Amino acid sequence: MKRLYPKLPPGADVVFRRLFDGENGCRLLISLLNAILRFPPGQRILKLVLLPTHLTGPRAKDKEVVLDVRAEAEDRRQFHIEVQISLKPAYAERVLIYWAGMYRGQFKSGAGYTDLNPVISLHFLFFNLLDKKKYPMFHHVFRARADGDDAVLSPHFEIHTVEMRKFPDLAEGDLEEKWLYFLKHGHEMTAEQAARLGVPEIEEAERKLVMISQSRKLQVAYERRVMAQHDAVALMKDPLTIARREALQEGQEKGERLGQEKGERLGREESLRLWIADMCELLGVDLTADRRAQIEQMDLDKLRELRAALKSARAWPGPVPRSRKQKGSSS
């Protein structure tokens, strides 16, 4: 297969989801989880089923949480895997919300507390969540333990954080270190280098990474994600850089005329909607169902107004700009 595009970083969330999706993705995910979580014999994962990644609360207006990867093992243990490139506001609290959403989500009508199963949450973080000098370890495991005698309240609570900046980049080591090396450097590795790690699942992951990187749709999704992350960091620091990038993007959009004017306008509207959703997530803005519905009703001009308001206020503006589609006709 002739490669048109370079390999994408496996540690990017949009790429990570594709890499571990599908039946072959489950095989790779089993190897990754067994390596990172270091289960003893008899507790290792043998089979996984991928679960929906959308979590909602018990009430219709509760905030929706979208996870990166969610799976269930044959013994009913549930796993949540999240990848984060940049630090979000109150990320430690987000970790708790993600875990609690999955644990609460098991409690269906007619079920009892004894029907609940362990939820293990794993976070690959490409930033330092904990102070590096005080907590130099790259892999931390958090459980509900008592002060003094370390009594465990419940084995159902288990959260892992892997801070990739603290990882010493060991290509030669145990299975965990080899997987982490691939997640951090897979886009820079050759097939021969991946093979030298001596892990068949990593070799398969390298081949799949090459294949999915040739998807133009995934390339665009990755580029959009990177741009939104850069904009979130640059806000209030260098607005001129953002303005120049937007001007370049709009120029490219105008230069890539593939259809009629109406179709192009709809394409720009959808691109802006995706940008706004990414920016809200990165800024910690609660994108409720009502707000999503408002965004869907906005035309291109109102979407641009909302984008400008988000950049200026770093929060959801009020009152929300109304679309011409929502206004009644006057006579």
Side-chain angles (χ1 to χ4, degrees), residues 187-249:
H187 58 299
E188 304 166 337
M189 298 173 66
T190 64
E192 292 75 18
Q193 289 172 329
R196 281 201 293 270
L197 294 177
V199 182
E201 290 83 3
I202 293 180
E203 289 188 68
E204 185 178 351
E206 196 279 333
R207 290 192 294 270
K208 185 173 182 180
L209 182 62
V210 171
M211 180 186 68
I212 64 177
S213 294
Q214 299 313 298
S215 165
R216 176 58 183 162
K217 184 177 180 180
L218 185 59
Q219 289 276 346
V220 170
Y222 170 70
E223 292 167 5
R224 183 189 300 120
R225 192 69 168 155
V226 170
M227 184 177 295
Q229 288 166 345
H230 286 174
D231 286 353
V233 173
L235 276 174
M236 306 299 291
K237 293 183 179 179
D238 190 4
L240 182 59
T241 298
I242 300 174
R244 287 172 176 169
R245 186 184 297 128
E246 289 174 355
L248 177 60
Q249 182 182 3

Short mmCIF file of all heavy atoms in Angstrom, two decimals, residues 187-249:
data_model
loop_
_atom_site.label_atom_id
_atom_site.label_comp_id
_atom_site.label_asym_id
_atom_site.label_seq_id
_atom_site.Cartn_x
_atom_site.Cartn_y
_atom_site.Cartn_z
N HIS A 187 4.46 6.77 16.05
CA HIS A 187 4.41 7.48 14.76
C HIS A 187 5.80 7.75 14.21
O HIS A 187 5.93 8.09 13.02
CB HIS A 187 3.64 8.80 14.93
CG HIS A 187 4.22 9.71 15.95
ND1 HIS A 187 4.32 9.36 17.28
CD2 HIS A 187 4.74 10.97 15.85
CE1 HIS A 187 4.86 10.37 17.95
NE2 HIS A 187 5.13 11.34 17.12
N GLU A 188 6.84 7.61 15.04
CA GLU A 188 8.21 7.85 14.60
C GLU A 188 8.97 6.55 14.32
O GLU A 188 10.07 6.58 13.78
CB GLU A 188 8.98 8.62 15.69
CG GLU A 188 8.33 9.93 16.10
CD GLU A 188 8.90 10.49 17.39
OE1 GLU A 188 9.46 9.72 18.20
OE2 GLU A 188 8.78 11.71 17.57
N MET A 189 8.36 5.42 14.65
CA MET A 189 9.05 4.14 14.54
C MET A 189 8.85 3.50 13.17
O MET A 189 7.82 3.68 12.52
CB MET A 189 8.54 3.18 15.63
CG MET A 189 8.78 3.66 17.05
SD MET A 189 7.99 2.60 18.29
CE MET A 189 8.92 1.08 18.07
N THR A 190 9.84 2.73 12.75
CA THR A 190 9.70 1.91 11.55
C THR A 190 9.11 0.55 11.95
O THR A 190 9.06 0.20 13.14
CB THR A 190 11.06 1.69 10.87
OG1 THR A 190 11.90 0.94 11.77
CG2 THR A 190 11.72 3.02 10.55
N ALA A 191 8.69 -0.21 10.95
CA ALA A 191 8.17 -1.55 11.22
C ALA A 191 9.25 -2.42 11.87
O ALA A 191 8.95 -3.24 12.74
CB ALA A 191 7.68 -2.18 9.91
N GLU A 192 10.50 -2.24 11.45
CA GLU A 192 11.59 -3.02 12.03
C GLU A 192 11.80 -2.67 13.50
O GLU A 192 12.04 -3.56 14.33
CB GLU A 192 12.88 -2.76 11.24
CG GLU A 192 12.87 -3.31 9.82
CD GLU A 192 12.03 -2.48 8.86
OE1 GLU A 192 11.73 -1.31 9.21
OE2 GLU A 192 11.66 -2.99 7.79
N GLN A 193 11.71 -1.40 13.83
CA GLN A 193 11.87 -0.99 15.23
C GLN A 193 10.73 -1.53 16.10
O GLN A 193 10.96 -1.95 17.24
CB GLN A 193 11.93 0.54 15.31
CG GLN A 193 13.21 1.13 14.76
CD GLN A 193 13.16 2.64 14.68
OE1 GLN A 193 12.09 3.23 14.47
NE2 GLN A 193 14.30 3.29 14.86
N ALA A 194 9.53 -1.53 15.55
CA ALA A 194 8.40 -2.09 16.30
C ALA A 194 8.59 -3.59 16.51
O ALA A 194 8.29 -4.12 17.57
CB ALA A 194 7.09 -1.81 15.57
N ALA A 195 9.10 -4.27 15.49
CA ALA A 195 9.32 -5.71 15.60
C ALA A 195 10.38 -6.04 16.65
O ALA A 195 10.30 -7.06 17.34
CB ALA A 195 9.72 -6.28 14.24
N ARG A 196 11.39 -5.16 16.79
CA ARG A 196 12.46 -5.42 17.75
C ARG A 196 11.97 -5.35 19.20
O ARG A 196 12.65 -5.84 20.11
CB ARG A 196 13.60 -4.43 17.54
CG ARG A 196 14.50 -4.79 16.36
CD ARG A 196 15.87 -4.13 16.49
NE ARG A 196 15.79 -2.68 16.35
CZ ARG A 196 15.90 -2.04 15.20
NH1 ARG A 196 16.07 -2.71 14.06
NH2 ARG A 196 15.85 -0.73 15.17
N LEU A 197 10.79 -4.77 19.44
CA LEU A 197 10.23 -4.76 20.79
C LEU A 197 9.82 -6.16 21.22
O LEU A 197 9.68 -6.43 22.41
CB LEU A 197 9.02 -3.82 20.87
CG LEU A 197 9.33 -2.33 20.68
CD1 LEU A 197 8.04 -1.51 20.71
CD2 LEU A 197 10.29 -1.83 21.76
N GLY A 198 9.61 -7.06 20.23
CA GLY A 198 9.34 -8.46 20.55
C GLY A 198 7.95 -8.74 21.08
O GLY A 198 7.74 -9.75 21.77
N VAL A 199 6.99 -7.87 20.77
CA VAL A 199 5.61 -8.06 21.22
C VAL A 199 4.70 -8.14 19.99
O VAL A 199 4.52 -7.13 19.30
CB VAL A 199 5.16 -6.90 22.14
CG1 VAL A 199 3.74 -7.15 22.65
CG2 VAL A 199 6.12 -6.71 23.30
N PRO A 200 4.14 -9.31 19.69
CA PRO A 200 3.32 -9.45 18.47
C PRO A 200 2.18 -8.45 18.39
O PRO A 200 1.87 -7.94 17.31
CB PRO A 200 2.79 -10.89 18.57
CG PRO A 200 3.78 -11.60 19.43
CD PRO A 200 4.28 -10.59 20.42
N GLU A 201 1.57 -8.13 19.54
CA GLU A 201 0.44 -7.19 19.52
C GLU A 201 0.90 -5.77 19.15
O GLU A 201 0.16 -5.02 18.51
CB GLU A 201 -0.27 -7.17 20.88
CG GLU A 201 -1.04 -8.43 21.20
CD GLU A 201 -0.15 -9.53 21.77
OE1 GLU A 201 1.07 -9.26 21.97
OE2 GLU A 201 -0.65 -10.64 22.03
N ILE A 202 2.11 -5.41 19.56
CA ILE A 202 2.63 -4.09 19.18
C ILE A 202 2.96 -4.06 17.69
O ILE A 202 2.72 -3.05 17.01
CB ILE A 202 3.86 -3.73 20.04
CG1 ILE A 202 3.44 -3.53 21.49
CG2 ILE A 202 4.53 -2.47 19.51
CD1 ILE A 202 4.58 -3.16 22.43
N GLU A 203 3.48 -5.16 17.17
CA GLU A 203 3.72 -5.24 15.71
C GLU A 203 2.41 -5.07 14.96
O GLU A 203 2.35 -4.36 13.94
CB GLU A 203 4.36 -6.57 15.36
CG GLU A 203 5.80 -6.73 15.80
CD GLU A 203 6.42 -8.00 15.25
OE1 GLU A 203 6.61 -8.06 14.01
OE2 GLU A 203 6.67 -8.93 16.03
N GLU A 204 1.34 -5.72 15.45
CA GLU A 204 0.03 -5.59 14.81
C GLU A 204 -0.48 -4.16 14.93
O GLU A 204 -1.07 -3.62 13.99
CB GLU A 204 -0.96 -6.57 15.44
CG GLU A 204 -2.31 -6.58 14.76
CD GLU A 204 -3.26 -7.60 15.37
OE1 GLU A 204 -2.81 -8.42 16.20
OE2 GLU A 204 -4.46 -7.58 15.01
N ALA A 205 -0.25 -3.55 16.10
CA ALA A 205 -0.69 -2.17 16.30
C ALA A 205 0.04 -1.23 15.35
O ALA A 205 -0.55 -0.27 14.83
CB ALA A 205 -0.45 -1.75 17.75
N GLU A 206 1.34 -1.49 15.09
CA GLU A 206 2.11 -0.65 14.17
C GLU A 206 1.55 -0.74 12.76
O GLU A 206 1.39 0.27 12.06
CB GLU A 206 3.58 -1.08 14.20
CG GLU A 206 4.54 -0.06 13.60
CD GLU A 206 4.61 -0.10 12.09
OE1 GLU A 206 4.33 -1.18 11.52
OE2 GLU A 206 4.93 0.93 11.48
N ARG A 207 1.18 -1.97 12.33
CA ARG A 207 0.60 -2.14 10.99
C ARG A 207 -0.75 -1.45 10.89
O ARG A 207 -1.07 -0.82 9.88
CB ARG A 207 0.46 -3.64 10.67
CG ARG A 207 1.80 -4.35 10.46
CD ARG A 207 1.60 -5.74 9.87
NE ARG A 207 0.91 -6.63 10.80
CZ ARG A 207 1.52 -7.41 11.68
NH1 ARG A 207 2.85 -7.41 11.77
NH2 ARG A 207 0.83 -8.22 12.48
N LYS A 208 -1.56 -1.55 11.95
CA LYS A 208 -2.87 -0.90 11.93
C LYS A 208 -2.71 0.61 11.94
O LYS A 208 -3.48 1.33 11.29
CB LYS A 208 -3.71 -1.36 13.12
CG LYS A 208 -5.14 -0.82 13.08
CD LYS A 208 -6.00 -1.40 14.17
CE LYS A 208 -7.43 -0.87 14.08
NZ LYS A 208 -8.31 -1.43 15.14
N LEU A 209 -1.72 1.11 12.67
CA LEU A 209 -1.48 2.55 12.71
C LEU A 209 -1.15 3.09 11.33
O LEU A 209 -1.63 4.17 10.93
CB LEU A 209 -0.35 2.86 13.70
CG LEU A 209 -0.02 4.35 13.90
CD1 LEU A 209 -1.21 5.10 14.48
CD2 LEU A 209 1.19 4.50 14.81
N VAL A 210 -0.32 2.36 10.58
CA VAL A 210 0.00 2.76 9.21
C VAL A 210 -1.27 2.81 8.37
O VAL A 210 -1.49 3.78 7.62
CB VAL A 210 1.01 1.78 8.59
CG1 VAL A 210 1.18 2.06 7.10
CG2 VAL A 210 2.36 1.88 9.31
N MET A 211 -2.13 1.80 8.52
CA MET A 211 -3.35 1.72 7.71
C MET A 211 -4.33 2.85 8.03
O MET A 211 -4.80 3.55 7.13
CB MET A 211 -4.02 0.37 7.93
CG MET A 211 -5.30 0.19 7.12
SD MET A 211 -6.16 -1.34 7.53
CE MET A 211 -6.71 -0.98 9.21
N ILE A 212 -4.63 3.06 9.32
CA ILE A 212 -5.64 4.07 9.65
C ILE A 212 -5.11 5.48 9.40
O ILE A 212 -5.91 6.41 9.21
CB ILE A 212 -6.11 3.93 11.12
CG1 ILE A 212 -4.98 4.19 12.11
CG2 ILE A 212 -6.73 2.56 11.34
CD1 ILE A 212 -5.42 4.15 13.56
N SER A 213 -3.80 5.65 9.38
CA SER A 213 -3.23 6.97 9.12
C SER A 213 -3.46 7.42 7.68
O SER A 213 -3.30 8.60 7.37
CB SER A 213 -1.73 6.99 9.43
OG SER A 213 -1.50 6.80 10.82
N GLN A 214 -3.82 6.48 6.80
CA GLN A 214 -4.10 6.83 5.41
C GLN A 214 -5.54 7.31 5.21
O GLN A 214 -5.94 7.61 4.09
CB GLN A 214 -3.81 5.64 4.50
CG GLN A 214 -2.36 5.18 4.54
CD GLN A 214 -1.40 6.35 4.41
OE1 GLN A 214 -1.40 7.04 3.40
NE2 GLN A 214 -0.58 6.56 5.44
N SER A 215 -6.30 7.37 6.31
CA SER A 215 -7.66 7.90 6.23
C SER A 215 -7.63 9.42 6.26
O SER A 215 -7.18 10.02 7.23
CB SER A 215 -8.50 7.37 7.41
OG SER A 215 -9.69 8.12 7.56
N ARG A 216 -8.10 10.04 5.19
CA ARG A 216 -8.12 11.50 5.14
C ARG A 216 -9.02 12.05 6.25
O ARG A 216 -8.72 13.08 6.87
CB ARG A 216 -8.62 11.97 3.77
CG ARG A 216 -8.79 13.48 3.64
CD ARG A 216 -7.50 14.22 3.92
NE ARG A 216 -7.65 15.67 3.86
CZ ARG A 216 -6.80 16.52 4.38
NH1 ARG A 216 -5.71 16.08 5.00
NH2 ARG A 216 -7.00 17.82 4.29
N LYS A 217 -10.11 11.34 6.52
CA LYS A 217 -11.04 11.79 7.56
C LYS A 217 -10.35 11.82 8.93
O LYS A 217 -10.52 12.77 9.70
CB LYS A 217 -12.26 10.86 7.61
CG LYS A 217 -13.33 11.28 8.59
CD LYS A 217 -14.53 10.35 8.50
CE LYS A 217 -15.61 10.78 9.49
NZ LYS A 217 -16.80 9.86 9.42
N LEU A 218 -9.54 10.80 9.22
CA LEU A 218 -8.84 10.76 10.50
C LEU A 218 -7.75 11.83 10.54
O LEU A 218 -7.52 12.45 11.58
CB LEU A 218 -8.24 9.37 10.73
CG LEU A 218 -7.57 9.15 12.10
CD1 LEU A 218 -8.57 9.37 13.23
CD2 LEU A 218 -6.97 7.75 12.20
N GLN A 219 -7.07 12.05 9.42
CA GLN A 219 -6.05 13.10 9.37
C GLN A 219 -6.67 14.46 9.67
O GLN A 219 -6.12 15.25 10.45
CB GLN A 219 -5.39 13.12 7.98
CG GLN A 219 -4.48 11.94 7.69
CD GLN A 219 -3.08 12.14 8.23
OE1 GLN A 219 -2.68 13.24 8.59
NE2 GLN A 219 -2.30 11.05 8.28
N VAL A 220 -7.84 14.74 9.08
CA VAL A 220 -8.51 16.02 9.32
C VAL A 220 -8.96 16.13 10.77
O VAL A 220 -8.81 17.19 11.40
CB VAL A 220 -9.71 16.18 8.37
CG1 VAL A 220 -10.57 17.38 8.75
CG2 VAL A 220 -9.23 16.32 6.93
N ALA A 221 -9.50 15.03 11.32
CA ALA A 221 -9.94 15.05 12.72
C ALA A 221 -8.77 15.32 13.64
O ALA A 221 -8.88 16.08 14.61
CB ALA A 221 -10.60 13.72 13.07
N TYR A 222 -7.62 14.72 13.35
CA TYR A 222 -6.42 14.95 14.17
C TYR A 222 -5.94 16.39 14.05
O TYR A 222 -5.63 17.04 15.07
CB TYR A 222 -5.32 13.98 13.75
CG TYR A 222 -3.97 14.28 14.37
CD1 TYR A 222 -3.75 14.08 15.72
CD2 TYR A 222 -2.94 14.82 13.59
CE1 TYR A 222 -2.52 14.38 16.30
CE2 TYR A 222 -1.71 15.13 14.16
CZ TYR A 222 -1.51 14.90 15.51
OH TYR A 222 -0.31 15.20 16.08
N GLU A 223 -5.89 16.91 12.82
CA GLU A 223 -5.45 18.28 12.62
C GLU A 223 -6.37 19.27 13.33
O GLU A 223 -5.91 20.25 13.93
CB GLU A 223 -5.38 18.59 11.13
CG GLU A 223 -4.28 17.83 10.39
CD GLU A 223 -4.44 17.90 8.89
OE1 GLU A 223 -5.35 18.62 8.42
OE2 GLU A 223 -3.66 17.24 8.17
N ARG A 224 -7.67 19.03 13.26
CA ARG A 224 -8.64 19.91 13.92
C ARG A 224 -8.46 19.87 15.43
O ARG A 224 -8.53 20.88 16.12
CB ARG A 224 -10.06 19.50 13.54
CG ARG A 224 -11.13 20.41 14.12
CD ARG A 224 -12.52 19.84 13.91
NE ARG A 224 -12.80 19.68 12.50
CZ ARG A 224 -13.09 18.51 11.92
NH1 ARG A 224 -13.11 17.41 12.64
NH2 ARG A 224 -13.35 18.45 10.64
N ARG A 225 -8.19 18.67 15.95
CA ARG A 225 -8.01 18.51 17.39
C ARG A 225 -6.76 19.26 17.85
O ARG A 225 -6.77 19.97 18.86
CB ARG A 225 -7.86 17.02 17.71
CG ARG A 225 -7.95 16.68 19.17
CD ARG A 225 -9.34 16.88 19.67
NE ARG A 225 -9.52 16.30 20.99
CZ ARG A 225 -10.43 16.71 21.85
NH1 ARG A 225 -11.23 17.72 21.53
NH2 ARG A 225 -10.57 16.14 23.01
N VAL A 226 -5.67 19.12 17.10
CA VAL A 226 -4.43 19.81 17.44
C VAL A 226 -4.62 21.32 17.38
O VAL A 226 -4.17 22.06 18.27
CB VAL A 226 -3.30 19.37 16.50
CG1 VAL A 226 -2.07 20.26 16.69
CG2 VAL A 226 -2.93 17.91 16.76
N MET A 227 -5.34 21.79 16.36
CA MET A 227 -5.55 23.23 16.22
C MET A 227 -6.37 23.77 17.40
O MET A 227 -6.06 24.82 17.96
CB MET A 227 -6.28 23.52 14.91
CG MET A 227 -6.46 25.00 14.63
SD MET A 227 -7.25 25.30 13.03
CE MET A 227 -5.98 24.66 11.94
N ALA A 228 -7.40 23.05 17.80
CA ALA A 228 -8.22 23.50 18.92
C ALA A 228 -7.42 23.51 20.22
O ALA A 228 -7.56 24.42 21.04
CB ALA A 228 -9.45 22.59 19.07
N GLN A 229 -6.55 22.51 20.40
CA GLN A 229 -5.71 22.47 21.60
C GLN A 229 -4.73 23.64 21.62
O GLN A 229 -4.53 24.29 22.65
CB GLN A 229 -4.96 21.14 21.67
CG GLN A 229 -5.86 19.97 22.01
CD GLN A 229 -5.21 18.63 21.75
OE1 GLN A 229 -4.20 18.54 21.06
NE2 GLN A 229 -5.79 17.58 22.27
N HIS A 230 -4.13 23.93 20.46
CA HIS A 230 -3.21 25.05 20.39
C HIS A 230 -3.92 26.37 20.65
O HIS A 230 -3.39 27.26 21.32
CB HIS A 230 -2.53 25.08 19.01
CG HIS A 230 -1.51 24.01 18.83
ND1 HIS A 230 -0.88 23.77 17.63
CD2 HIS A 230 -1.02 23.09 19.70
CE1 HIS A 230 -0.03 22.77 17.77
NE2 HIS A 230 -0.10 22.34 19.01
N ASP A 231 -5.13 26.50 20.09
CA ASP A 231 -5.88 27.73 20.30
C ASP A 231 -6.25 27.92 21.77
O ASP A 231 -6.23 29.04 22.29
CB ASP A 231 -7.15 27.72 19.45
CG ASP A 231 -6.85 27.96 17.98
OD1 ASP A 231 -5.68 28.27 17.66
OD2 ASP A 231 -7.77 27.85 17.16
N ALA A 232 -6.59 26.82 22.44
CA ALA A 232 -6.96 26.91 23.85
C ALA A 232 -5.78 27.40 24.68
O ALA A 232 -5.93 28.20 25.60
CB ALA A 232 -7.44 25.56 24.36
N VAL A 233 -4.57 26.91 24.35
CA VAL A 233 -3.38 27.33 25.08
C VAL A 233 -3.01 28.77 24.75
O VAL A 233 -2.59 29.55 25.61
CB VAL A 233 -2.19 26.39 24.75
CG1 VAL A 233 -0.90 26.91 25.36
CG2 VAL A 233 -2.49 24.98 25.25
N ALA A 234 -3.21 29.14 23.48
CA ALA A 234 -2.77 30.47 23.03
C ALA A 234 -3.75 31.57 23.40
O ALA A 234 -3.39 32.75 23.33
CB ALA A 234 -2.58 30.45 21.50
N LEU A 235 -4.95 31.23 23.79
CA LEU A 235 -5.94 32.25 24.13
C LEU A 235 -5.39 33.18 25.21
O LEU A 235 -4.79 32.73 26.19
CB LEU A 235 -7.23 31.59 24.64
CG LEU A 235 -8.21 31.13 23.56
CD1 LEU A 235 -9.36 30.38 24.18
CD2 LEU A 235 -8.71 32.29 22.74
N MET A 236 -5.63 34.43 25.06
CA MET A 236 -5.20 35.47 26.00
C MET A 236 -3.68 35.68 25.96
O MET A 236 -3.17 36.57 26.65
CB MET A 236 -5.63 35.15 27.43
CG MET A 236 -7.11 34.87 27.58
SD MET A 236 -8.13 36.29 27.12
CE MET A 236 -7.73 37.41 28.46
N LYS A 237 -2.96 34.88 25.20
CA LYS A 237 -1.51 35.04 25.13
C LYS A 237 -1.09 35.63 23.79
O LYS A 237 -0.30 36.56 23.74
CB LYS A 237 -0.81 33.68 25.33
CG LYS A 237 -0.98 33.10 26.72
CD LYS A 237 -0.20 31.79 26.84
CE LYS A 237 -0.35 31.20 28.24
NZ LYS A 237 0.39 29.93 28.38
N ASP A 238 -1.60 35.08 22.73
CA ASP A 238 -1.18 35.53 21.40
C ASP A 238 -2.38 35.50 20.46
O ASP A 238 -2.46 34.65 19.57
CB ASP A 238 -0.05 34.63 20.87
CG ASP A 238 0.59 35.20 19.62
OD1 ASP A 238 0.21 36.31 19.22
OD2 ASP A 238 1.46 34.53 19.04
N PRO A 239 -3.33 36.44 20.60
CA PRO A 239 -4.52 36.44 19.74
C PRO A 239 -4.16 36.65 18.27
O PRO A 239 -4.89 36.21 17.38
CB PRO A 239 -5.35 37.60 20.28
CG PRO A 239 -4.38 38.46 21.05
CD PRO A 239 -3.36 37.52 21.58
N LEU A 240 -3.02 37.32 17.97
CA LEU A 240 -2.63 37.55 16.59
C LEU A 240 -2.33 36.23 15.89
O LEU A 240 -2.69 36.04 14.72
CB LEU A 240 -1.43 38.48 16.54
CG LEU A 240 -0.93 38.85 15.14
CD1 LEU A 240 -2.04 39.54 14.36
CD2 LEU A 240 0.31 39.74 15.24
N THR A 241 -1.68 35.30 16.60
CA THR A 241 -1.38 34.00 16.01
C THR A 241 -2.65 33.26 15.65
O THR A 241 -2.76 32.66 14.57
CB THR A 241 -0.55 33.15 17.00
OG1 THR A 241 0.68 33.81 17.25
CG2 THR A 241 -0.27 31.77 16.43
N ILE A 242 -3.64 33.33 16.54
CA ILE A 242 -4.92 32.68 16.26
C ILE A 242 -5.59 33.31 15.05
O ILE A 242 -6.12 32.62 14.18
CB ILE A 242 -5.84 32.76 17.49
CG1 ILE A 242 -5.18 32.08 18.68
CG2 ILE A 242 -7.18 32.12 17.20
CD1 ILE A 242 -5.96 32.23 19.97
N ALA A 243 -5.58 34.64 14.99
CA ALA A 243 -6.22 35.32 13.87
C ALA A 243 -5.57 34.94 12.55
O ALA A 243 -6.26 34.71 11.55
CB ALA A 243 -6.14 36.83 14.08
N ARG A 244 -4.23 34.85 12.54
CA ARG A 244 -3.54 34.46 11.31
C ARG A 244 -3.88 33.04 10.91
O ARG A 244 -4.08 32.73 9.73
CB ARG A 244 -2.03 34.59 11.51
CG ARG A 244 -1.54 36.03 11.55
CD ARG A 244 -0.08 36.11 11.93
NE ARG A 244 0.43 37.47 11.87
CZ ARG A 244 1.60 37.85 12.35
NH1 ARG A 244 2.39 36.95 12.96
NH2 ARG A 244 2.00 39.09 12.25
N ARG A 245 -3.97 32.13 11.91
CA ARG A 245 -4.31 30.75 11.61
C ARG A 245 -5.71 30.64 11.03
O ARG A 245 -5.97 29.89 10.09
CB ARG A 245 -4.17 29.89 12.86
CG ARG A 245 -4.38 28.40 12.58
CD ARG A 245 -4.34 27.59 13.86
NE ARG A 245 -3.03 27.69 14.48
CZ ARG A 245 -2.84 28.03 15.74
NH1 ARG A 245 -3.87 28.31 16.50
NH2 ARG A 245 -1.63 28.07 16.24
N GLU A 246 -6.63 31.40 11.60
CA GLU A 246 -8.01 31.37 11.11
C GLU A 246 -8.10 31.92 9.69
O GLU A 246 -8.84 31.40 8.85
CB GLU A 246 -8.92 32.17 12.04
CG GLU A 246 -9.14 31.48 13.37
CD GLU A 246 -9.94 32.36 14.32
OE1 GLU A 246 -10.21 33.53 13.95
OE2 GLU A 246 -10.27 31.89 15.41
N ALA A 247 -7.34 32.97 9.43
CA ALA A 247 -7.34 33.54 8.08
C ALA A 247 -6.81 32.53 7.07
O ALA A 247 -7.35 32.38 5.98
CB ALA A 247 -6.50 34.81 8.06
N LEU A 248 -5.74 31.81 7.47
CA LEU A 248 -5.18 30.79 6.60
C LEU A 248 -6.19 29.67 6.37
O LEU A 248 -6.36 29.19 5.24
CB LEU A 248 -3.90 30.22 7.22
CG LEU A 248 -3.21 29.08 6.44
CD1 LEU A 248 -2.82 29.54 5.06
CD2 LEU A 248 -2.01 28.57 7.22
N GLN A 249 -6.87 29.25 7.44
CA GLN A 249 -7.85 28.18 7.32
C GLN A 249 -8.99 28.59 6.39
O GLN A 249 -9.43 27.81 5.54
CB GLN A 249 -8.39 27.82 8.69
CG GLN A 249 -9.39 26.66 8.67
CD GLN A 249 -9.94 26.36 10.05
OE1 GLN A 249 -9.63 27.04 11.01
NE2 GLN A 249 -10.77 25.34 10.12
#
